Structures are given as structure tokens and as C-alpha cells.
């Protein structure tokens, strides 16, 4: 008996089910009805509805309140029409569960005071128990899965990027602190990255257990490394991380910025989908990771200009994908706070219309 012949369960609306499927199908490089699109940092400060919530709750308060976290996660799904939701959290969200003091400062970002910059401080970190440390986020995942018309992406920071925050206590443009530790105290560096790999494996397992359908690893600072340093000092940790989460069977997206020269090594570490930033042409980036799906890679600042420029550059990105299976349209990095949400909405429609098959 087929369910579609049962009048009590009408066939799902084809448009709705196509929207629900296209992101995960593209991750697996299967044919899609239209190229899926979502935006890194889609749930953030570019949306007036988010800003209204931020008037009364901080980022840490939002992530500690599963109902509010669900609401913020779903804002871009409803308002922009994107094909995937990304859990509203931060790459630093698991750190308090390791005993790391965390503050998210307006206009600055995460601040860790005191920083975790000695072997003694690393040894004193607490083992991470996800149920205890991030239970409101896990509950939010369950709530979002009930309400979302599109797949939910979980995420975590990659160990090198997280370590760069722990060592200096805040963002550092050239990652000088962590790179200097890597050279002067390689054992301390390895101890820190190992602890972060353990935590991230546990954190991702908990997210998948609660219901996320794909996971993105953000290695935002990895582009500060030479291929020599990446291969020797970071790749072994990334391999262990991917090996620890691959058995869960959800698609994994591996994203770095400024990492055009590292793409082949990043793909070697793992990831079903490789995220590309805008500093490399999409087809050039794809040719370096030919057996993977790719995600990207419109320059986020294109959206700060007039619509005609957004359209021109988006078509340029799409032309390089040439309709190949396995392209997920995204920006090359997060949505900038000054972005006009109307540009984002029009961009979602443009990607779908241009690629409808
Ligand atoms: O839709 C989404 O993607 C929202 C969820 C999300 C946030 N941070 C919320 C957030 C995600 C995926 C992140 C990832 C993140 N956080 C990264 C990796 C991506 C990247 O941008 O490279 C990094 C490096 C961080 C660390 C971080 N957190 C910074 C540098 C900042 C300050 C800069 C900024 O964009 O505001 C944060 C704070 C933060 N994380 C905000 C949001 C919405 C702003 C907090 C606020 O509302 O004031």
C-alpha cells in the first residue's frame, strides 16, 4: 500500500519536499531540482528580527534558552527562504563546558580571560560532557527538527581556530600567539589541540544524537598557515577529528578562510563538502578537490553594493559550477552585519531560478 493513495495522508507538496531535500542531496553529489543555498552567519545581526531579540538577550543568553535559540535559528529559514538552517550558537559555545571563562563582547567577539596558554592550564581543563555543558542547545536541536522545513546543520570550530582564541584570549588577525606556541612549545600546542579534538568529537556526537543532519567545521584562522605547517602540525589533529565523527554518517562540511593553498590537504583531512572562500575562483578551487562537493563562494562584500553587482557576481559563481552535481551556493565567509536582508532574499531566488532543472 502506498501512502499517497490514502486520502488521510495527502502527497507532500512537491515544492516543499524538493526544498527539504536539495541541500543534503547536493552534499552527497546527487542531482538536485535547483542548487541549494544557505549563508554562513545567516541568523546574525543583518536581520532586524535578530537585533530586536538582542535588545533583551545576549548571545550567551540566547544559546542558553532553547526556545529563543530555536526562534533565532529559524528566522532566516522563514525570512530568506534558504535551503538549510544552521544552529544558532558560536564556535566558542563548548568552551565553558571545559571550564574556560567565556564572554562575548559587543563589537569584539569572544574574550577568554585568563587565556589558556600554559601546559598547566591545559591540563586543568575539564573533560567535556555535552549533556551537562550544552543541554539547552541539544534541546534546541530537537525543537528545530520538529519545526524546520529544511535540514539543520550543526557546527563546531576546528581545533587550530579554537586554540588561537584560547591562547590569546581573543581574535588575533595573524594568529601570531598560536603560531608562536606551535614553534616554541610544540608539546603544549599538541596537548591543546588534542584536548580540543576530544571535546569537538564529543560535542559533534551530541549534536548528531540530538538531530543535526549535517555538520560544518569552521577553520576560520587556518589560512594563516603554510602548507608545511598545516601538514606537519594541524593535519594529524584534523584527521583524528574527522575519523572520530565520520562514523555518524552525516555529511561533513570542511570550511576554512584564506586557505586556497591548503585545499588539497584540507580535503585529505576529511569532509564530504569543501567550503571555499572568495579568494579563489570556484572552478579552480573545485579542481583541487575533484572528488568532493563544494560550497561557496560569493564575496560577502558584494552584498554591500547595488543589486546589479550582486547579480553579476552570483551568476559568475554559478557559471563556474556549470550545473555540476555537488554545488551548494553560499558566501565565501559569513554575512556581514551591514548586509541588506532584501539582497539576501533576492539572491536566494536568483540561485534557485538560474539553476532550476
Ligand atoms: O547563522 C549563523 O551562522 C549564526 C551562528 C554563528 C555565530 N557564530 C553566532 C554569532 C556561527 C556559525 C558562528 C561561527 C563563528 N564564531 C566563527 C566561524 C565563522 C567565522 O566567522 O569565521 C568564528 C570565528 C566565531 C567567533 C566569533 N563570535 C566572532 C569573531 C564574533 C564577533 C564578530 C561578529 O560576527 O559579531 C562572535 C560573536 C557572534 N557569534 C555573534 C553572532 C551572531 C555576534 C554577537 C552579537 O549578536 O552581538
Amino acid at each position: 500500500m502506498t501512502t499517497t493513495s490514502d486520502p488521510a495522508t495527502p502527497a507532500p507538496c512537491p515544492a516543499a519536499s524538493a526544498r527539504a531535500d536539495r541541500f543534503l542531496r547536493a552534499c552527497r553529489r546527487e542531482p538536485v531540482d535547483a542548487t541549494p543555498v544557505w549563508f554562513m552567519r545567516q541568523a546574525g545581526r543583518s536581520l532586524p528580527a535578530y537585533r530586536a531579540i538582542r535588545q533583551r538577550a545576549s548571545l550567551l543568553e540566547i544559546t542558553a534558552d532553547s526556545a529563543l535559540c530555536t526562534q533565532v535559528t529559524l528566522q532566516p529559514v522563514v525570512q530568506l527562504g534558504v535551503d538549510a538552517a544552521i544552529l544558532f550558537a558560536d564556535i566558542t559555545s563548548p568552551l565553558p563546558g571545559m571550564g574556560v571563562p567565556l564572554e562575548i563582547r559587543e563589537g569584539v567577539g569572544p574574550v577568554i580571560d585568563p587565556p589558556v596558554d600554559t601546559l598547566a592550564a591545559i591540563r586543568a581543563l575539564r573533560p567535556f560532557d555535552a549533556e551537562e555543558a550544552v543541554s539547552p542547545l541539544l534541546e534546541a536541536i530537537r525543537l528545530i527538527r520538529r519545526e524546520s522545513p529544511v535540514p539543520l546543520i550543526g557546527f563546531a570550530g576546528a581545533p587550530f581556530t579554537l586554540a588561537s582564541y584560547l591562547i590569546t584570549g581573543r581574535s588575533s588577525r595573524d594568529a601570531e600567539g598560536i603560531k608562536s606556541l606551535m614553534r616554541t612549545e610544540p608539546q603544549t600546542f599538541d596537548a591543546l589541540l588534542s584536548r580540543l579534538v576530544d571535546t569537538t568529537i564529543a560535542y559533534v556526537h551530541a549534536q548528531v544524537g540530538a538531530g543535526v543532519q549535517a555538520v560544518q567545521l569552521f577553520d576560520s584562522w587556518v589560512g594563516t598557515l603554510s602548507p608545511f605547517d598545516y601538514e606537519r602540525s594541524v593535519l594529524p589533529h584534523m584527521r583524528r577529528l574527522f575519523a572520530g565523527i565520520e562514523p555518524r554518517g552525516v555529511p561533513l562540511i570542511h570550511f576554512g578562510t584564506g586557505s586556497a593553498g591548503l585545499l588539497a590537504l584540507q580535503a585529505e583531512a576529511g569532509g564530504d563538502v569543501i567550503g571555499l572562500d572568495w579568494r579563489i575562483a570556484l572552478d579552480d578551487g573545485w579542481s583541487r578537490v575533484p572528488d568532493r562537493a563544494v560550497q561557496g563562494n560569493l564575496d560577502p562584500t558584494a552584498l554591500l553594493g547595488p543589486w546589479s553587482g550582486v547579480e553579476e557576481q552570483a551568476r559568475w559563481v554559478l557559471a563556474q559550477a556549470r550545473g555540476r552535481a555537488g554545488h551548494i551556493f553560499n558566501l565565501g565567509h559569513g554575512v556581514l552585519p551591514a548586509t541588506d536582508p532584501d539582497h539576501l532574499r533576492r539572491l536566494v531566488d536568483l540561485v534557485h531560478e538560474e539553476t532550476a532543472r
Side-chain angles (χ1 to χ4, degrees):
M1 192 184 87
T2 63
T3 48
T4 45
S5 64
D6 178 356
T9 42
C13 159
S17 72
R19 184 185 177 210
D21 284 350
R22 57 173 82 105
F23 166 75
L24 291 171
R25 289 183 62 86
C27 289
R28 297 188 296 255
R29 290 186 287 154
E30 293 167 3
V32 285
D33 67 309
T35 296
V37 47
W38 70 279
F39 304 119
M40 291 183 275
R41 312 297 294 270
Q42 64 192 13
R45 293 172 301 178
S46 67
L47 297 182
Y50 173 79
R51 290 207 207 103
I53 287 175
R54 279 282 285 106
Q55 293 293 311
R56 57 185 169 94
S58 68
L59 180 124
L60 294 180
E61 285 164 349
I62 296 170
T63 55
D65 177 334
S66 20
L68 205 49
C69 180
T70 299
Q71 190 185 338
V72 170
T73 299
L74 292 175
Q75 280 172 352
V77 175
V78 175
Q79 295 177 15
L80 306 177
V82 288
D83 298 308
I86 180 160
L87 178 68
F88 187 82
D90 192 67
I91 57 165
T92 50
S93 295
L95 299 181
M98 301 174 80
V100 174
L102 173 70
E103 198 193 318
I104 307 265
R105 223 173 270 171
E106 187 89 49
V108 176
V111 175
I112 293 158
D113 188 17
V116 180
D117 57 359
T118 61
L119 197 52
I122 295 162
R123 291 206 173 119
L125 291 171
R126 287 207 306 261
F128 179 80
D129 174 340
E131 281 298 337
E132 183 191 302
V134 290
S135 67
L137 278 179
L138 301 178
E139 181 55 21
I141 292 170
R142 296 181 197 104
L143 293 172
I144 297 160
R145 280 301 306 278
R146 259 180 256 151
E147 289 183 32
S148 178
V150 293
L152 174 61
I153 305 168
F155 75 93
F160 178 78
T161 292
L162 284 177
S164 75
Y165 280 97
L166 286 166
I167 290 296
T168 34
R170 55 176 70 209
S171 306
S172 75
R173 184 146 301 285
D174 44 15
E176 205 176 291
I178 186 70
K179 289 181 71 180
S180 150
L181 184 82
M182 177 177 82
R183 302 193 195 292
T184 55
E185 292 181 50
Q187 283 156 334
T188 309
F189 176 90
D190 275 329
L192 180 56
L193 266 72
S194 289
R195 288 301 297 272
L196 290 167
V197 169
D198 294 341
T199 292
T200 307
I201 291 173
Y203 182 44
V204 168
H205 274 261
Q207 291 186 43
V208 176
V212 303
Q213 293 149 288
V215 172
Q216 174 154 326
L217 292 165
F218 284 92
D219 213 348
S220 305
W221 295 104
V222 76
T224 59
L225 291 168
S226 69
F228 176 89
D229 284 326
Y230 184 83
E231 187 165 16
R232 185 165 73 178
S233 305
V234 176
L235 181 63
H237 294 285
M238 291 301 281
R239 269 214 190 95
R240 187 164 78 84
L241 172 57
F242 277 100
I245 58 184
E246 273 159 7
R248 296 306 297 248
V250 301
L252 303 176
I253 308 170
H254 187 172
F255 170 76
T257 63
S259 62
L262 302 176
L263 288 171
L265 291 170
Q266 287 181 292
E268 203 180 311
D272 305 283
V273 183
I274 303 297
L276 303 174
D277 82 356
W278 70 93
R279 296 171 182 89
I280 187 165
L282 186 121
D283 55 356
D284 187 0
W286 209 341
S287 71
R288 300 181 196 198
V289 292
D291 56 346
R292 310 299 165 94
V294 298
Q295 176 175 279
N297 70 344
L298 181 72
D299 183 340
T301 66
L303 288 142
L304 303 179
W307 171 251
S308 57
V310 180
E311 192 172 11
E312 187 182 15
Q313 296 207 41
R315 285 186 204 281
W316 176 69
V317 170
L318 289 170
Q320 292 172 72
R322 289 189 296 275
R324 279 179 280 183
H327 177 222
I328 297 158
F329 191 97
N330 205 314
L331 307 183
H333 201 172
V335 172
L336 296 164
T339 304
D340 177 353
D342 200 51
H343 275 8
L344 291 170
R345 267 188 289 274
R346 291 179 74 178
L347 180 55
V348 170
D349 291 343
L350 174 82
V351 171
H352 290 158
E353 282 158 19
E354 276 292 302
T355 59
R357 5 205 192 259

